[in-house]
Structures are given as C-alpha cells and as structure tokens.
Amino acid sequence: MTAFLRQYRDLVSMELRSMRAEVPMVAVIQAGFTVGFVLGFGYLIPDIREQTALYIITGTATQGLVTIGLVMLPQILAQSKHEGRLDYFLAMPISREAYLLALVTVVGLMALPGIVFCLLFGAWHYDLSLAVSPLFPAVVVLGVASLAGVGIALAVYSPHQQVTNAATQLIIFYVLFFAPVLMPREQLPALLRATARFAPPSYAADAVRATVTDLPGTNLGASLAAMTLFAVGSIVLSAVAIRRRG
C-alpha cells in the first residue's frame, strides 16, 4: 500500500470519528428534506402524472448530491477554517489531495443513505417502479466529485464563514428553481437553458433520471462525459485552492 493510500485510509477513519455525532443529524435532515419535497409537491400539484412524479423523485435525489458537494462540504470546511482545524491538517506532513479526497469520501458516504431513501420513499409514495441501472453508483460518485471542487474552493477563498453559508443558500435557490433538476429543461426560458449547459447539477440530474427511470430525452453517455470533465476540473480547482491555503 502506497503512502498516499495509507494517508487516505487514516484520514477517512479520522474524519468519520470526528463527525460521528453529525451522522444521525444529517440522516434525519436528509430524510425530512426528502419527505418534505416528495409530499409537498404532491400538495402543490394535484393529480400528479407519472412523468412529473419521476422528475420530483429524481430531482430530489439530485438535490441530495448538490447539498453534499455545494452546501455541506463547503460549510464543513468553512467551520474547520474558522476553528483552525484546516490549518492544523495543512501543517501536517500529509498529502493535500489525500485530505481533500478523504473529506469528499466522508460527506459522500453521509449522503448515500439519504439518496437511496429518497428513491425508495418517492417510488412508494407515488406507487412507481424504478429500474436502477448498475451505473447508478458511478453517477453518484461523479455527481459528488463534479461539485466538490467548487464547494472546496468556495470555502477556502471565502473571507468569512458567514459569506460561505450565504453563498451555499443562493446555490440551493438556483438549483431548485432555475436549473433543469426538478423540471424538464424545455420548461426553462432560453437564457436559463443556456446557463444550464455550464452547471454540473444539470448533468447529474439527467444521469440520475437515465439510470433509475425510462423518461425520454435523457442522454446518459453525454451526461457521464460532461460529469467526468467537471469532476477533473473540480479536483484541479480544489487542489489549487487548498495548496494556496497551505
């Protein structure tokens, strides 16, 4: 086992132990978020058709990925920076990339139960059957990776923890109402359809729909390719940000 892998293993174990108190809280919040969205849209939209229900279910699952990469991860890093824990880790003789990968792994593991619960609860509530593709785990990994770098850079470059928290809330607002995550791309105005081409959540949502439903208009190959490019760029961006910090 190489030094990098040993460091990565030890850092994952350390982060899991340090966040063990947060894991139950995150699970409860994600479950409540899922139930609220799935049930809430049912109250807002009477007589939901199957296609609309599938968009709600898969969009809520995608929102879980966005919450991990662009909300939870930057907020955890911002708090670590505020408390001095980030500087402590960066002062240690460890690989910066191993530390970042460990953080992304831990928050990804924390998100996975909520995403699975979302699909199961949504399918049960709307009495739908989902055909989960073997590629779904790859979509989850690429979805988190394509968003994590942006979240890390946001936390590292942000001057204050409050700024990071405010920015993450704006991101959630955009994804909920102005990105093709909970709705088809065709329902958005031309400007938002154009900006969605440069937003990783758009491709994550398309890939989730392609791997758990038979909705028309999805393009799994193109979405996986775009998510891979975003993931590579995200990793480079996060590595540059954390090295400048350290």
Side-chain angles (χ1 to χ4, degrees):
M1 184 182 293
T2 66
F4 179 89
L5 291 178
R6 284 197 299 271
Q7 290 179 7
Y8 168 70
R9 179 199 61 192
D10 293 341
L11 287 167
V12 168
S13 176
M14 185 183 302
E15 289 295 330
L16 283 173
R17 288 196 299 269
S18 68
M19 295 183 189
R20 63 182 179 273
E22 285 88 351
V23 171
M25 181 180 65
V26 171
V28 171
I29 290 173
Q30 286 194 310
F33 179 86
T34 294
V35 172
F37 262 76
V38 172
L39 294 181
F41 275 104
Y43 298 144
L44 286 172
I45 310 172
D47 301 323
I48 289 181
R49 295 179 295 118
E50 179 178 343
Q51 180 174 335
T52 304
L54 289 173
Y55 266 93
I56 292 172
I57 295 169
T58 55
T60 304
T62 304
Q63 188 70 23
L65 296 177
V66 175
T67 301
I68 289 301
L70 292 178
V71 179
M72 183 181 295
L73 183 57
Q75 288 184 356
I76 288 174
L77 267 178
Q79 183 175 354
S80 297
K81 187 172 71 170
H82 176 72
E83 296 173 349
R85 287 190 290 120
L86 178 60
D87 291 328
Y88 168 76
F89 276 107
L90 295 181
M92 296 174 66
I94 59 173
S95 166
R96 271 51 169 175
E97 289 75 16
Y99 174 62
L100 292 178
L101 187 58
L103 274 179
V104 174
T105 300
V106 169
V107 295
L109 289 173
M110 292 169 68
L112 191 57
I115 295 170
V116 173
F117 173 75
C118 172
L119 297 175
L120 294 176
F121 177 77
W124 169 79
H125 178 69
Y126 290 113
D127 194 21
L128 301 173
S129 59
L130 301 177
V132 180
S133 165
L135 290 174
F136 180 71
V139 169
V140 173
V141 171
L142 282 174
V144 173
S146 64
L147 298 165
V150 179
I152 290 170
L154 174 64
V156 171
Y157 288 125
S158 175
H160 302 290
Q161 183 178 359
Q162 292 86 348
V163 175
T164 303
N165 294 340
T168 57
Q169 300 309 311
L170 287 176
I171 289 171
I172 287 293
F173 185 75
Y174 164 78
V175 173
L176 283 176
F177 300 107
F178 302 111
V181 172
L182 285 162
M183 66 193 78
R185 184 187 299 265
E186 294 73 23
Q187 290 184 207
L188 295 171
L191 178 61
L192 292 179
R193 289 200 301 270
T195 57
R197 296 181 182 276
F198 305 98
S202 304
Y203 299 99
D206 184 76
V208 169
R209 285 192 285 270
T211 50
V212 300
T213 75
D214 57 356
L215 284 170
T218 58
N219 191 332
L220 181 59
S223 293
L224 288 176
M227 290 168 67
T228 301
L229 290 175
F230 276 117
V232 172
S234 181
I235 292 169
V236 171
L237 179 64
S238 61
V240 170
I242 208 72
R243 284 189 175 277
R244 290 190 64 180
R245 174 75 183 184

